[in-house]
Structures are given as structure tokens and as C-alpha cells.
Amino acid sequence: MKLQAIVFDLDGVITDTAHLHFLAWQQVAADVGIAIDEEFNDTLKGISRGESLLSILRHGGKEGEFSEQAREALAARKNALYVHSLRDLTADSILPGIRELLGELRARQIAIGLASVSLNAPAILRALEIEHFFDYCADAGKVARSKPDPAIFLAACQGLGIPPQACIGIEDAQAGIDAINASGMRSVGIGSGLTGAGLLLPATDSLTWPCLSAFWQHDK
Ligand code: B16
Ligand code: MG
């Protein structure tokens, strides 16, 4: 089968917003007496806002202490802090090699999709000035289940009108790799410590068209 589409994760693949998510969660967690570190934050990558909050409360042994309304207020506060920190995001915030890859995929008429569970994804793509490259962005608001459920990747393939078997998905989080594999797409992982990726690259600057094309040819 011919490779027809590449579906990107956002946070950690296109731009590094994980640290900004961490700083916002760290502040909200501290307000309720819970300490989190970067290592714990890694477990939140690819996990929705509401599920991230539940995971933090569980981590601090305070899961039962907050009503749904109180949790919504905490999640809203985290988002306000996070959105405020996004004000410095510009076209220079794109991770190395990504803009070049998007241009190359366009030139080769390979469709481009986005599978981010972030409700802020459209605003982030606009700030990075790359929204025009994307043929379809899955709507996180319409997908109830976070990664590792394949729903967000399947929604991206469906929106592109391309079967998952003709797509490569790219992820930096273990939950994301598991989601891609469960969707029937082939997976490319960015970073270290990921298991189950069809191809694992150390960083986005290794993510080139020749590399993706060779992976597709050889991994049949
Ligand atoms: P928001 P991705 C995910 O983005 C982040 O990795 C995760 O840390 C965050 O909680 C989630 O988006 C929701 O983001 O609060 O902006 O809706 O990796 O799927 O691009
Ligand atoms: Mg990610």
C-alpha cells in the first residue's frame, strides 16, 4: 500500500509545550498541597486536561476530596495559566526539522493530519503559523477518550478520508505510541524510553522525508 498520510501529535512533536503544561499543573497542584516533578509530568503527556487533574489528585492521595465543580475550577485555572504562558509562542517555537518536513510532505502530496487531545491545538498551530499545512485536525472536543485509546488518531484518519493502514503516526509519549499502534497505523516515536514504536528517533531533527519513506518501504 502507498503511504498516503502523516498524522502528527502536537505537544512534543511539533512544539515543546510539555514544559508549559508542567509549570501550570505544578502551580495548581501546589495550591492544593500536592508536589509534582518533571518525571511525574511525563505520565501526563497525551492525557486530556480532566484526566491529568484526576491523575495529579490521585498522586497526592486527594482524589476523593474535590467535587466535580471544584475539579472543573482547578482545570479552568490550570488552563488560564497555560494559555497565558502560550503568549510567547511564535513561528520560532517549532521544533527542529518540522517545518521543512511539512513543506516536503505538501510538495509530495502526502496528506497531513493532527491528532492532539489539546483543546488549545488550533490556537497553537495559528501561533506557530503552520495551520495552512494541515488537511485535517481531529477535534479534541469531540473525542471522549484520551490516548492510549486510538480514538483521536482514528478521527484524524477519518477526517482525511484515508485508511489507518496507509498512514504513519508520530508521537513523543508512550500513551500516544500505544494509541497509534491500536489504530492500525504505523508508529514513529520521538525521544527515548518509548516501547513498541515501529521506528524510534532521538529527536525531531532526524524526522525527514527520506527517513519516513525508507521506514514505510522496509517495514511491510
Ligand atoms: P489542553 P498532545 C496533550 O497534547 C498534552 O500532551 C497533555 O499534557 C495535555 O493535558 C493535553 O494535550 C490537553 O491539553 O489542556 O490544552 O486541552 O500531546 O495530545 O498534543
Ligand atoms: Mg505529545
Side-chain angles (χ1 to χ4, degrees):
M1 193 182 276
K2 185 180 172 292
L3 173 61
Q4 293 176 53
I6 306 288
V7 178
F8 290 82
D9 168 47
L10 175 63
D11 174 27
V13 172
I14 291 177
T15 187
D16 185 17
T17 38
H19 189 65
L20 302 178
H21 279 292
F22 168 61
L23 292 177
W25 277 130
Q26 191 181 40
Q27 198 164 329
V28 169
D31 288 349
V32 295
I34 299 172
I36 59 168
D37 58 16
E38 294 256 19
E39 198 184 335
F40 174 77
N41 190 60
D42 278 352
T43 67
L44 303 179
K45 288 183 180 173
I47 308 297
S48 72
R49 197 180 309 163
E51 287 180 32
S52 296
L53 176 61
L54 284 176
S55 177
I56 289 168
L57 295 176
R58 215 175 297 129
H59 178 69
K62 300 194 176 201
E63 202 183 359
E65 289 181 26
F66 296 86
S67 65
E68 198 179 327
Q69 205 183 356
R71 289 201 306 271
E72 272 171 23
L74 289 174
R77 177 162 150 68
K78 182 269 174 176
N79 193 50
L81 290 167
Y82 176 65
V83 169
H84 185 69
S85 72
L86 292 176
R87 71 195 181 285
D88 296 331
L89 221 59
T90 68
D92 291 337
S93 314
I94 302 170
L95 284 168
I98 295 296
R99 176 177 279 279
E100 294 77 2
L101 177 61
L102 292 171
E104 178 109 30
L105 295 175
R106 265 258 156 273
R108 293 180 180 276
Q109 297 181 318
I110 304 286
I112 302 175
L114 188 81
S116 169
V117 297
S118 173
L119 296 168
N120 294 297
I124 292 173
L125 290 187
R126 273 197 299 281
L128 299 175
E129 298 172 29
I130 53 171
E131 77 216 283
H132 56 284
F133 284 113
F134 288 81
D135 297 294
Y136 187 78
C137 297
D139 184 347
K142 290 192 182 142
V143 173
R145 296 177 304 278
S146 266
K147 302 163 186 175
D149 191 286
I152 191 88
F153 281 96
L154 291 173
C157 294
Q158 198 175 12
L160 291 170
I162 296 175
Q165 292 72 19
C167 302
I168 288 176
I170 305 177
E171 262 288 352
D172 70 312
Q174 188 60 52
I177 293 294
D178 296 343
I180 294 172
N181 291 341
S183 76
M185 306 165 77
R186 282 190 231 166
S187 57
V188 173
I190 304 292
S192 55
L194 298 174
T195 57
L199 172 69
L200 188 59
L201 300 171
T204 56
D205 53 5
S206 311
L207 193 60
T208 60
W209 170 251
C211 165
L212 289 177
S213 159
F215 166 56
W216 188 262
Q217 298 302 326
H218 293 128
D219 186 55
K220 281 186 177 157

